[in-house]
Amino acid sequence: MNPDTILRLRSLPIEGVAERLGLRVARHKSLCPFHDDHHASLTFNTRRNTYRCFACDAHGGTIDLVMNRLHKSFPDACRWLADASNIIVEEYNPLSPTLKNQNSKLNNSKSAQPTIQNSKLQTQNSFDPSRYAHHFEHPWLSDEARTFLFDERRLDPRVVRWCRLTSWTDRQGTHWLQTPFFDQDGKLIGIQNRNLDYKKQTKENLVPTNTSPSNPQSHIAPLPTGEGQGERLFRGVAGGEAIPRFRFPYGSRCTIYNLPVLAMLRPQEPLYITEGCSDCWAMLSSGHKAVAIPSATLLSKADKDLLRNLSDRLDTTFHMYPDRDAPGERLFLQLKEVLPTLEHHQLPPGCKDYSEYYVKAT
């Protein structure tokens, strides 16, 4: 795994990671999940981005917290954090045995020049739009995708066509919804693959939730999924590898979703910012122009300048319905620093995110 990616995972706000793991954080403290705690002995140091329990001496950073809380290995903990934070760490298609052998020979060859080696690896790991662009020229939706988009999410078919959503099924029979990310000029810059069988697969792989000294890894906690939709699902399989909910091709740039809509903005027209793609689809189906920004910390300087330029050039007003949870409010505050005029709208009671609000209203 790329050292830069690991550094980004270690830099994620420790309290935000704790909340996504189901811990209730108040005044930089929470009940410790690693022993029978009744007096909030787990303390978070936001300056060092670490945690420590002064009762059982559990301590570490973001990756350690996930490893200990979910009983995951280091690589699986990193993948969980990346999935929850929309950080790209791996290709959604595994390397073939032939390609693995080629990479191994390339890495072990002492005669290969470093510049040539780095160039080949960079070419292999960079995002190639031409490899995927044809998927979205004539989008195809499976029955599972249609059920998800039209029956469960109740989206406007015109929005689905505008977003050029398509679907595919892998060799294991898993159904995927493929969401393309385009820049303002309509160039493909990234892809998000959403596992449509995630709920079914997770339920099938659940293990008993009773814990005992003889079975210390049998507990699975309910966790937020991290795509900005507010759902709470059971994640992880004790003793096995976690089932991915989202996968991205190497090199995908998925920081702002639905950038082509910016070219359609009129002066002083409102632009709604949502947390995830599904919330953005719901907002578009409601008749509003919208983009999705899953993480403010992943916004590049160019992304921030692009949004600020809209405010200066078109006098655009920005609006947001944050998810009714701590991560949602935190995202709003982070975006507020970038866009001081961002207006907060409160979701009605009983609605976790805008998608749920939209479904209940239609």
Side-chain angles (χ1 to χ4, degrees):
M1 190 172 295
N2 191 307
D4 292 336
T5 301
I6 295 175
L7 181 61
R8 292 171 67 187
L9 296 176
R10 293 191 189 280
S11 300
L12 293 172
I14 186 69
E15 292 184 349
V17 173
E19 288 168 343
R20 290 197 177 277
L21 288 169
L23 304 181
R24 296 186 60 181
V25 181
R27 298 180 179 179
H28 308 302
K29 292 184 177 182
S30 76
L31 293 175
C32 179
F34 307 118
H35 73 280
D36 188 16
D37 191 12
H38 301 280
H39 301 289
S41 57
L42 192 68
T43 302
F44 300 95
N45 187 322
T46 55
R47 183 173 61 84
R48 296 183 177 179
N49 211 40
T50 58
Y51 71 93
R52 177 177 291 276
C53 176
F54 290 96
C56 68
D57 198 37
H59 61 278
T62 55
I63 300 176
D64 303 296
L65 184 59
V66 175
M67 290 174 62
N68 295 329
R69 174 64 168 155
L70 301 182
H71 308 291
K72 289 183 177 293
S73 64
F74 182 86
D76 285 345
C78 289
R79 293 187 186 99
W80 186 93
L81 272 174
D83 185 28
S85 306
N86 201 30
I87 294 176
I88 301 162
V89 296
E90 61 182 338
E91 176 84 42
Y92 66 80
N93 281 330
L95 295 176
S96 65
T98 302
L99 191 53
K100 285 184 178 179
N101 292 334
Q102 290 176 352
N103 285 345
S104 177
K105 292 179 180 178
L106 181 62
N107 291 332
N108 295 330
S109 175
K110 295 181 180 180
S111 60
Q113 294 295 327
T115 55
I116 298 177
Q117 181 185 43
N118 293 338
S119 175
K120 290 183 178 180
L121 290 175
Q122 183 177 3
T123 300
Q124 176 192 325
N125 294 339
S126 60
F127 180 74
D128 181 9
S130 63
R131 178 181 175 186
Y132 307 97
H134 67 279
H135 295 175
F136 309 104
E137 293 175 358
H138 303 285
W140 172 80
L141 296 176
S142 63
D143 291 340
E144 291 75 14
R146 290 182 175 277
T147 298
F148 173 76
L149 295 171
F150 302 126
D151 297 341
E152 297 178 13
R153 300 289 172 162
R154 302 182 186 177
L155 300 178
D156 189 323
R158 293 172 297 178
V159 170
V160 174
R161 289 195 296 270
W162 161 261
C163 295
R164 288 191 260 180
L165 305 181
T166 189
S167 59
W168 61 288
T169 304
D170 64 23
R171 294 179 180 178
Q172 287 71 41
T174 300
H175 303 93
W176 297 87
L177 180 69
Q178 207 164 36
T179 303
F181 280 66
F182 299 98
D183 64 12
Q184 279 187 281
D185 299 324
K187 178 184 176 182
L188 184 65
I189 57 175
I191 297 173
Q192 178 198 81
N193 290 276
R194 180 188 186 116
N195 185 349
L196 295 176
D197 299 327
Y198 182 81
K199 290 184 179 180
K200 179 179 67 176
Q201 290 172 335
T202 309
K203 289 179 180 178
E204 290 175 353
N205 286 281
L206 281 179
V207 295
T209 57
N210 59 301
T211 56
S212 64
S214 61
N215 189 19
Q217 297 188 11
S218 61
H219 179 68
I220 298 179
L223 305 169
T225 59
E227 199 262 338
Q229 300 170 48
E231 298 177 80
R232 298 181 70 85
L233 300 175
F234 283 92
R235 296 211 41 156
V237 180
E241 186 174 346
I243 302 171
R245 186 182 179 199
F246 298 100
R247 281 179 169 173
F248 306 81
Y250 269 122
S252 287
R253 184 158 57 90
C254 302
T255 54
I256 302 181
Y257 175 68
N258 197 33
L259 281 173
V261 79
L262 302 184
M264 303 171 60
L265 281 174
R266 298 187 296 269
Q268 298 183 336
E269 187 175 13
L271 178 67
Y272 285 80
I273 297 177
T274 64
E275 290 190 45
C277 296
S278 59
D279 283 346
C280 186
W281 302 330
M283 190 66 73
L284 293 170
S285 296
S286 299
H288 302 292
K289 291 185 172 67
V291 296
I293 303 178
S295 172
T297 59
L298 298 181
L299 288 178
S300 66
K301 183 180 183 299
D303 293 330
K304 296 176 182 178
D305 290 342
L306 173 64
L307 295 173
R308 294 190 184 108
N309 182 53
L310 288 175
S311 179
D312 297 337
R313 181 169 55 89
L314 298 177
D315 198 19
T316 302
T317 58
F318 299 95
H319 303 260
M320 185 175 181
Y321 284 84
D323 288 1
R324 291 180 66 94
D325 56 19
E329 291 297 331
R330 184 180 298 109
L331 176 61
F332 171 79
L333 293 176
Q334 291 172 340
L335 290 175
K336 183 81 171 176
E337 296 178 1
V338 180
L339 304 169
T341 60
L342 181 61
E343 187 173 339
H344 185 288
H345 298 273
Q346 186 67 49
L347 289 168
C351 294
K352 301 185 295 295
D353 54 33
Y354 190 82
S355 290
E356 184 173 337
Y357 175 47
Y358 170 77
V359 170
K360 290 184 177 180
T362 55

